[in-house]
Amino acid sequence: MIRRKILITGGTTGIGLALANRLNVRHDVIVTGSRAQEDITETFSPNLVYVRASQSDPARAVKTIAQQLLKHEWPRLDNVVLNAGVGFAVEDGLDEVDKIRRTLDINVSSTMLIARAMYPWLSKTSGT
């Protein structure tokens, strides 16, 4: 079996982390998140590669992820799971402007920019 190279954004909690831990058994997995690695308290497979890349700054996240792929000598990707996301519950039904911007940056802008930036890595393998 060939080990696939997989990038998972938002891979430090919930579904992203569960998927990363499961896939890491047979594949090479890089996960991203916004927290410092020492602040991650969930069960985190020691074989996972963690890249701190907050998607609240879309351009910086893309640059950081690309640099880390090169650093780890990953010339290709087989799969990218764009899992990062955020949402806020508000009591009065009116979101604050900064929370709206943060939600759009993380859920939309970063997702689109990362997908666009990872295309050259994915195209080498006809990845998804």
Side-chain angles (χ1 to χ4, degrees), residues 34-117:
S34 61
R35 294 185 287 167
Q37 189 163 6
E38 59 270 12
D39 293 339
I40 299 170
T41 58
E42 291 79 1
T43 303
F44 202 80
S45 171
N47 297 336
L48 291 173
V49 174
Y50 178 65
V51 174
R52 186 174 184 183
S54 175
Q55 290 188 216
S56 61
D57 184 345
R60 180 189 247 170
V62 167
K63 182 177 179 181
T64 300
I65 292 167
Q67 288 172 338
Q68 290 299 310
L69 290 174
L70 295 173
K71 177 184 174 186
H72 287 89
E73 298 181 359
W74 281 30
R76 63 176 176 79
L77 283 169
D78 297 290
N79 305 102
V80 174
V81 180
L82 299 169
N83 177 68
V86 67
F88 299 98
V90 293
E91 293 181 23
D92 59 6
L94 297 173
D95 281 336
E96 298 169 17
V97 172
D98 64 322
K99 287 184 180 179
I100 293 169
R101 178 167 302 284
R102 185 165 186 246
T103 300
L104 290 171
D105 282 346
I106 293 170
N107 296 358
V108 180
S109 299
S110 282
T111 299
M112 297 301 294
L113 290 172
I114 291 169
R116 183 174 174 252

Side-chain angles (χ1 to χ4, degrees), residues 5 77-80 118-128:
K5 303 282 189 194
L77 283 169
D78 297 290
N79 305 102
V80 174
M118 295 302 106
Y119 179 77
W121 273 270
L122 287 165
S123 67
K124 293 176 184 177
T125 63
S126 297
T128 59

